[in-house]
Amino acid sequence: MRLSRAFVPTTKETPKDAVLPSHIYLVRGGFISQVASGIYNFLPLGKRVLDKVRAIVKEELDRAGCQEVQLGFVTPCELWQESGRFGKYGKELLRFKDRKENCFVLGPTHEEMMVDLVRGRVTSYKQLPLNLYQINLKFRDEARPRFGLLRGREFVMKDGYSFHADEEDMKREYDLMEATYRKIFSRMGLDFRAVEADVGAIGGSASKEFMVLAKSGEDTIAICTECDYAANVEAAKRQKPKAPEPAPEFSNFEPFYTPGLKTIEELSEFFKVDPYYFVKAVAKKAIYDDEEKIVLFFLRGSDELQEVKAQNVVGANELVDVSEEELKNAGIVPGFIAPYEQECTIVLDKDLKGAKGLICGGNRKDYHLIGADLSHFDDALFADIAQVKEGDLCPKCGAVIHLTKGIEVGHIFQLGTRYSAAMNATFLDKEGKAKPFVMGTYGIGVSRLVAAAIEQNHDERGCIWPKAIAPYMVDIIVSNIKESEQLEFAEELYEALQQKGVEVVLDDRADRFGPKIKDFELIGYPVGVIVGKGLKEGKVQLVDRKTLEKKDVAKEEALQKIVEMLS
Ligand code: ATP
Ligand code: MG
């Protein structure tokens, strides 16, 4: 493509709300443009990258035996009512009516549509297994659309759904999808981890997320420094932490006057006791379909509450903060909450089971209880509600756990019969009995990947595209198009590269060299060729975008050397 004819509106201006490199460079490099909050146009360069991501996804899925379909983006509400999700999905689900007052939603995910497609058409175990996917638009009215393509409202997702006669076959497919996803992200040249993920309140089934490692990632992941254990902190486990020495000794269980001391830090200082030996209370309001209630979570003072775990334990739709006022009305003393004598639901972290010699709130202003013993709390609800932290020990091998940040680009999930049962999608098994399909579901954030690749691969000048998804491979920069010798050689090289099947742009704009090299760096083509003054001595310069290393090569060798750089 000739840049003199191309629609690549690069700009020096950083979009107002942009803080992350991918957002800034994709807009400045003319890949995307914003339409409205969380909604973007893909311009020619952006479309090429998106199509490359899409093509890799498709190729690997087709190779694994999946079949591509394309479902309607606009989904009838009835399907969502049938699955029971219509009332539950919340405000991310955009609902609207047509002129005949029929209710629709813009699909944020397509379990319902896919189950509806398959039911009645697949009726026998002989037609199973089946794995159908689409690469299509999704709409989620996200509360905080941000970071450009990373969290849009309208975005492109690959969503796949598999149908099986039994659990065992679903698990086989799940493993196949994990292997396929690994191939997909490896081919894209990304540094990623497959991590154990939260399965939500339903629990039971397995789920893995694929995380592109990047400082800006919104997810925190726990990675073992020795073995292959990796998990989203929302689901991460750990070995029981070792008790620090010395343990405090209390001869009695009694109230202790602690005026104005509320935080674990202050208390630890005051008592000269390690935070580990304190019981910390976190009060939350749990929101359900038709009620809300206060729940008190208790953990060691050295731990923090993991809210997703906590929410799952109490089976709430959401956990929100609760005001001091609300606590007082419920007879709770903020800042001095004890696990004793509470009317509301309480949950204790499993690491507190059987613990003794503790300090906890005194249920009375300015008092704590020392010598608390939780060993007679065995009937209470103990659960894993603590957030795994840096330095905790790996649940698998006991080595140290390290926390890092990731961008979720894929998610595979053993779904079971949740949707097929609710929507009465059944097949006849070998004995002729009707059974709901056992399902798996598999997502990839196709447009998010475009941005994730840049979060992982950029410098202070712009994008550094992995070769597999670069918009073009080579940018031939004509330093001065008025020099006919330069333009002629560049044209020849442009032709020759195209002949070899190399995707190449020719910067033949009537512009100065400065802006051209700046655009090369901003857009991030893997290789640049500078056809400039050196041509008089028979030389051109090759630039490696990643390292910014430049080398002079004889013009006759340029073609060969470029091909080498791309291999
Ligand atoms: P997140 O936790 O980031 O909101 P999710 O758990 O809601 O993601 P899924 O429902 O599993 O995501 O969707 C499958 C994939 O779609 C995700 O792994 C992610 O890559 C992508 N995705 C989800 N929400 C968005 C969004 N708002 N913008 C762009 N991509 C998204
Ligand atoms: Mg989400």
Side-chain angles (χ1 to χ4, degrees):
M1 187 194 52
R2 289 164 190 279
L3 288 181
S4 60
R5 307 290 320 134
F7 182 49
V8 185
T10 55
T11 158
K12 289 199 183 94
E13 266 160 64
T14 297
K16 265 202 314 302
D17 56 336
V19 284
L20 294 190
S22 67
H23 187 184
I24 295 170
Y25 295 146
L26 289 174
V27 172
R28 285 194 44 216
F31 292 88
I32 58 171
S33 76
Q34 188 173 16
V35 180
S37 169
I39 304 178
Y40 288 86
N41 292 323
F42 281 81
L43 280 49
L45 288 188
K47 179 72 165 70
R48 285 183 71 94
V49 177
L50 186 70
D51 283 350
K52 287 195 175 184
V53 172
R54 189 195 280 262
I56 293 173
V57 171
K58 176 170 172 56
E59 224 178 277
E60 293 300 333
L61 288 174
D62 289 353
R63 194 171 291 165
C66 310
Q67 298 170 71
E68 188 176 5
V69 296
Q70 185 168 315
L71 304 181
F73 179 34
V74 173
T75 311
C77 289
E78 288 78 36
L79 291 178
W80 281 71
Q81 276 151 351
E82 233 186 295
S83 72
R85 268 209 290 191
F86 190 68
K88 287 225 162 94
Y89 208 87
K91 290 193 173 166
E92 274 188 26
L93 187 65
L94 186 68
R95 304 145 214 247
F96 60 96
K97 288 195 171 147
D98 69 5
R99 65 168 83 200
K100 291 182 181 147
E101 294 288 305
N102 297 312
C103 167
F104 290 94
V105 304
L106 285 186
T109 171
H110 277 71
E111 280 81 6
E112 286 82 356
M113 285 281 268
M114 203 62 99
V115 169
D116 184 53
L117 179 71
V118 166
R119 72 175 161 188
R121 295 189 175 87
V122 176
T123 51
S124 157
Y125 73 94
K126 289 180 199 150
Q127 295 163 281
L128 297 172
L130 190 63
N131 189 331
L132 301 175
Y133 74 96
Q134 61 167 343
I135 300 174
N136 207 350
L137 275 185
K138 293 278 176 285
F139 192 91
R140 294 183 183 178
D141 204 354
E142 297 270 353
R144 290 178 60 214
R146 58 191 182 279
F147 310 143
L149 297 182
L150 286 177
R151 185 167 298 285
R153 292 198 294 163
E154 184 183 274
F155 57 98
V156 181
M157 196 204 283
K158 168 260 152 176
D159 48 325
Y161 309 84
S162 67
F163 298 83
H164 308 270
D166 55 41
E167 193 91 355
E168 194 189 333
D169 193 55
M170 183 267 287
K171 288 185 174 157
R172 175 203 51 74
E173 187 75 8
Y174 177 83
D175 291 342
L176 175 64
M177 285 302 110
E178 174 174 349
T180 306
Y181 275 35
R182 285 181 189 276
K183 279 190 201 148
I184 289 171
F185 302 126
S186 300
R187 269 186 68 182
M188 289 180 194
L190 299 170
D191 185 11
F192 68 94
R193 297 282 184 285
V195 308
E196 285 173 24
D198 166 48
V199 287
I202 355 145
S205 333
S207 159
K208 273 190 183 169
E209 287 164 347
F210 291 78
M211 296 283 182
V212 165
L213 302 184
K215 280 203 292 287
S216 57
E218 286 187 279
D219 286 279
T220 304
I221 52 186
I223 298 181
C224 177
T225 48
E226 294 288 334
C227 76
D228 63 356
Y229 181 76
N232 190 316
V233 282
E234 294 173 356
K237 299 187 175 67
R238 63 177 183 191
Q239 289 192 358
K240 198 168 177 175
K242 291 197 184 83
E245 302 277 349
E249 281 174 32
F250 303 106
S251 32
N252 291 311
F253 176 47
E254 58 192 355
F256 203 97
Y257 186 51
T258 52
L261 302 180
K262 283 188 181 176
T263 67
I264 296 290
E265 219 174 21
E266 291 163 350
L267 289 161
S268 166
E269 182 74 13
F270 176 79
F271 283 105
K272 303 274 177 277
V273 166
D274 192 285
Y276 175 87
Y277 296 103
F278 286 82
V279 181
K280 169 196 276 182
V282 183
K284 290 280 170 189
K285 195 157 64 182
I287 313 286
Y288 297 89
D289 284 352
D290 39 22
E291 62 160 342
E292 45 184 59
K293 62 182 192 192
I294 293 174
V295 182
L296 299 175
F297 297 96
F298 293 93
L299 317 107
R300 287 195 180 270
S302 47
D303 284 324
E304 298 293 335
L305 184 70
Q306 194 347 284
E307 289 207 17
V308 173
K309 289 183 181 176
Q311 182 183 327
N312 289 343
V313 170
V314 295
N317 299 340
E318 204 185 348
L319 288 184
V320 298
D321 288 341
V322 41
S323 69
E324 293 212 350
E325 200 60 35
E326 286 170 293
L327 287 177
K328 283 179 188 157
N329 291 343
I332 297 164
V333 190
F336 302 90
I337 306 174
Y340 303 98
E341 291 164 18
Q342 298 293 357
E343 306 256 304
C344 63
T345 306
I346 72 166
V347 181
L348 297 106
D349 184 55
K350 67 175 181 25
D351 287 344
L352 279 172
K353 195 157 196 172
K356 298 175 189 169
L358 303 164
I359 303 176
C360 66
N363 279 347
R364 175 148 69 114
K365 190 170 178 321
D366 290 340
Y367 279 90
H368 278 81
L369 295 166
I370 61 171
D373 178 353
L374 300 182
S375 59
H376 58 275
F377 265 68
D378 277 359
D379 292 341
L381 177 54
F382 283 91
D384 177 13
I385 52 170
Q387 169 117 339
V388 169
K389 55 185 184 299
E390 187 82 35
D392 276 344
L393 304 181
C394 172
K396 251 171 109 175
C397 77
V400 169
I401 282 189
H402 169 59
L403 296 188
T404 185
K405 292 285 180 184
I407 300 169
E408 182 195 323
V409 293
H411 195 175
I412 58 175
F413 201 100
Q414 297 184 8
L415 199 55
T417 56
R418 180 168 167 213
Y419 292 89
S420 50
M423 296 179 68
N424 202 20
T426 58
F427 66 97
L428 295 180
D429 71 4
K430 277 190 183 135
E431 279 78 48
K433 244 176 67 192
K435 279 191 172 160
F437 297 110
V438 180
M439 292 176 62
T441 166
Y442 321 93
I444 292 181
V446 174
S447 52
R448 180 180 280 185
L449 271 163
V450 173
I454 294 308
E455 284 307 318
Q456 197 173 72
N457 303 282
H458 66 269
D459 59 16
E460 67 295 339
R461 300 184 190 198
C463 307
I464 303 177
W465 288 105
K467 288 177 190 134
I469 58 173
Y472 288 89
M473 292 301 177
V474 180
D475 176 15
I476 305 173
I477 301 168
V478 187
S479 188
N480 180 356
I481 58 159
K482 289 191 191 121
E483 298 274 346
S484 59
E485 199 196 344
Q486 287 183 16
L487 193 57
E488 261 165 45
F489 176 77
E491 293 271 3
E492 265 171 42
L493 186 61
Y494 177 59
E495 283 303 322
L497 281 166
Q498 282 181 318
Q499 291 278 317
K500 282 207 175 291
V502 176
E503 296 165 309
V504 52
V505 297
L506 175 65
D507 199 344
D508 57 348
R509 291 175 296 173
D511 218 335
R512 285 171 300 114
F513 175 70
K516 290 186 180 180
I517 193 84
K518 282 225 158 63
D519 273 2
F520 161 71
E521 291 167 347
L522 174 62
I523 289 167
Y525 310 100
V527 175
V529 186
I530 302 171
V531 184
K533 290 204 183 81
L535 197 65
K536 291 227 177 344
E537 284 93 58
K539 293 209 162 107
V540 297
Q541 217 170 33
L542 304 188
V543 193
D544 179 332
R545 172 62 188 90
K546 191 165 179 186
T547 60
L548 291 174
E549 242 173 88
K550 289 183 179 158
K551 59 179 177 219
D552 285 330
V553 299
K555 64 176 189 182
E556 298 77 19
E557 285 179 8
L559 182 63
Q560 180 58 28
K561 296 275 188 224
I562 293 167
V563 173
E564 278 168 25
M565 280 173 81
L566 291 176
S567 63

